[in-house]
């Protein structure tokens, strides 16, 4: 029997503060009706003053470890997928390692934007092929509100903050990761980016005045890319896993836009009860999107052991990827 990477525990955390479409109507030239019709989003959680990535990450991580019945000292590696770390360095994964007291774990951040969680899952799967690694904590967390220009109606309505975490281990059973796929098209880097704050444009008074520390996005182009890539990646993941669309028990898409999700559901002929959707109250949480959507689905509905979960994401880079995970521990 071959060894599989199994999901041992899941947890999430959302900041308490909620930003509604009605509040955004007072901030930019938009309407609740436009936002709901064009995106499906009604409200999103955003951090309060002083609240940062590691505050959300540590809560999600503690819940995932509790769910997995593991002690932080058992962790061999911590990966935090994020585009909005506490600070450029040290990595948020190292900050989290200290907060958890997980002193036996190596720690690094992974930058793949909204695809970050499935990228990190894929990395964890590869590390777990090695006898040196037995337990890996993967956190997807973004405080997108920290890089949002709340005078830009094209972007400020879309995003929210939050963290999701999963602990992975090894098993010889049937449940676990059946297939993964990650990829990138770096030529699309300017479609979703933050111009300043790195070595290309270090922070100066001028970069701040020009609002270059906020994310910039070409929504239309990303929309087209997303619709196409979600179809391609889903197909490839299922083929690799030896499954068909009929075998999917739950689809957990990146929560960017309801219209992108509906188009994928139509193509795969998936009924609503087989799709995890939380963007109406969370918006796009970037790297936190998929694990939080999965965790919230499982709070409401049960998923039998052996259920096939298809996860697919896309984001800055441009990056894309996904995984098929057979749910359960055996
Ligand atoms: O994780 C990856 C992150 N990014 C994404 O996933 C983004 C994917 N893209 C999208 O979700 C959509 O492209 C958006 C929701 C961003 C935009 O929807 P759209 O249907 O592509 O609208 P549009 O950009 O074509 O804009 C249509 C109109 C424009 O007005 P004009 O030029 O036709 O007069 C926009 O200025 O809607 C206007 N508009 C708004 N109006 C009211 C754009 N944002 C808003 C707004 N409220 N918030």
């Amino acid at each position: 029997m071959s060894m599989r990477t199994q999901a041992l525990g899941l947890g999430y955390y959302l900041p308490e503060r909620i930003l509604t479409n009605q509040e955004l109507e007072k901030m930019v030239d938009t309407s609740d009706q436009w936002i709901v019709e064009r995106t499906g989003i009604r409200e999103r959680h955003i951090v309060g003053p002083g609240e940062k990535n590691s505050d959300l990450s540590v809560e999600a991580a503690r819940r995932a470890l509790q769910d997995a019945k593991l002690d932080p000292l058992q962790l061999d590696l911590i990966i935090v997928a994020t585009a909005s770390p506490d600070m450029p360095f040290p990595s948020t994964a190292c900050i989290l390692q200290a907060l958890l007291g997980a002193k036996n774990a190596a720690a690094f951040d992974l930058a793949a934007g909204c695809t970050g969680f499935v990228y990190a899952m894929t990395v964890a799967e590869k590390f777990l092929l090695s006898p040196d690694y037995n337990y890996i904590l993967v956190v997807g967390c973004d405080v997108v509100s920290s890089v949002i220009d709340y005078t830009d109606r094209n972007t400020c309505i879309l995003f929210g903050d939050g963290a999701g975490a999963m602990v992975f281990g090894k098993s010889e059973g049937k449940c676990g990761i059946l297939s993964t796929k990650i990829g990138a098209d770096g030529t699309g880097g300017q479609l979703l980016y933050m111009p300043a704050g790195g070595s290309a444009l270090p922070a100066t008074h001028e970069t701040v005045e020009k609002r270059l520390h906020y994310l910039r996005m070409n929504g239309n182009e990303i929309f087209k890319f997303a619709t196409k890539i979600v179809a391609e990646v889903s197909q490839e993941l299922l083929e690799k896993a030896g499954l068909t669309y009929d075998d999917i028990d739950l689809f957990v898409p990146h929560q960017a836009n309801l219209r992108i999700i509906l188009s994928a559901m139509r193509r795969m002929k998936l009924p609503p009860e087989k799709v995890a959707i939380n963007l109406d109250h969370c918006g796009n949480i970037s790297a936190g999107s998929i694990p939080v959507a999965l965790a919230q689905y499982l709070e409401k509905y049960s998923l039998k052991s052996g259920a096939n979960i298809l996860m697919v994401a896309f984001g800055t880079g441009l990056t894309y990827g996904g995984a098929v995970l057979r749910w359960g521990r055996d």
Side-chain angles (χ1 to χ4, degrees):
M1 193 70 188
S2 63
M3 198 70 89
R4 255 193 228 297
T5 293
Q6 204 160 78
L8 305 177
L10 174 65
Y12 78 97
Y13 181 77
L14 296 171
E16 273 172 33
R17 185 171 162 206
I18 289 171
L19 177 65
T20 63
N21 288 355
Q22 286 71 24
E23 285 169 88
L24 285 164
E25 281 176 349
K26 295 182 196 133
M27 296 157 71
V28 288
D29 180 14
T30 191
S31 67
D32 174 52
Q33 191 192 351
W34 190 96
I35 302 172
V36 172
E37 278 174 10
R38 306 307 291 168
T39 71
I41 301 165
R42 293 178 187 278
E43 56 185 40
R44 63 293 284 144
H45 291 253
I46 64 165
V47 293
E51 212 175 359
K52 57 194 178 300
N53 186 317
S54 59
D55 297 326
L56 313 188
S57 288
V58 76
E59 280 304 319
R62 283 193 179 123
R63 291 170 191 190
L65 284 163
Q66 197 176 16
D67 189 32
K69 299 185 177 60
L70 283 179
D71 188 280
L73 291 172
Q74 291 173 273
L75 292 174
D76 301 304
L77 177 63
I78 297 172
I79 309 174
V80 176
T82 188
S84 47
D86 277 16
M87 56 192 80
F89 56 86
S91 67
T92 301
C94 283
I95 296 169
L96 180 60
Q97 191 244 31
L99 290 171
L100 291 172
K103 65 177 185 188
N104 300 314
F108 63 83
D109 286 0
L110 187 153
C114 302
T115 323
F117 189 78
V118 292
Y119 255 71
M121 260 181 86
T122 306
V123 173
E125 185 204 19
K126 307 307 173 202
F127 266 82
L128 287 169
L129 295 174
S130 154
D132 297 344
Y133 295 84
N134 288 309
Y135 296 109
I136 300 182
L137 169 68
V138 169
V139 179
C141 178
D142 269 306
V143 182
V144 194
S145 65
S146 66
V147 293
I148 285 289
D149 182 350
Y150 282 99
T151 65
D152 176 10
R153 70 176 184 175
N154 292 301
T155 54
C156 72
I157 56 138
L158 294 173
F159 296 94
D161 303 336
M166 255 195 204
V167 180
F168 292 97
K170 303 178 191 197
S171 165
E172 289 185 353
K174 289 203 172 81
C175 297
I177 295 178
L178 302 188
S179 64
T180 53
K181 162 76 190 175
I182 52 174
D185 176 5
T187 63
Q190 303 276 310
L191 296 178
L192 177 48
Y193 74 122
M194 182 170 134
S199 61
L201 275 179
T204 60
H205 288 294
E206 202 189 345
T207 61
V208 173
E209 269 160 28
K210 289 186 172 166
R211 310 181 83 76
L212 298 175
H213 296 271
Y214 294 125
L215 75 78
R216 294 187 172 189
M217 183 183 77
N218 179 331
N220 276 144
E221 288 303 314
I222 304 245
F223 192 98
K224 282 187 251 167
F225 167 78
T227 315
K228 187 168 153 285
I229 209 72
V230 170
E232 286 175 17
V233 171
S234 303
Q235 181 97 35
E236 188 174 335
L237 285 168
L238 290 173
E239 269 167 32
K240 270 188 172 178
L243 302 177
T244 68
Y245 291 137
D246 288 342
D247 299 317
I248 302 173
D249 297 295
L250 181 63
F251 177 43
V252 189
H254 173 42
Q255 308 285 311
N257 188 313
L258 187 60
R259 290 184 289 140
I260 298 172
I261 298 175
L262 291 175
S263 118
M265 284 167 63
R266 272 195 296 274
R267 195 172 327 90
M268 295 191 256
K269 298 194 174 58
L270 287 174
E273 62 271 19
K274 286 190 175 179
V275 185
I277 296 179
N278 72 349
L279 90 176
D280 52 321
H281 63 275
C282 283
N284 178 350
I285 321 180
S286 187
S289 171
I290 284 189
V292 174
L294 173 61
Q296 292 197 322
Y297 178 92
L298 289 167
E299 270 178 351
K300 276 203 213 148
Y301 312 100
S302 65
L303 204 54
K304 62 181 190 310
S305 181
N308 296 315
I309 306 176
L310 170 68
M311 310 174 187
V312 182
F314 52 87
T316 180
L318 298 174
T319 53
Y320 53 89
V324 175
L325 174 68
R326 184 164 283 160
W327 190 243
R329 295 167 216 177
D330 58 3

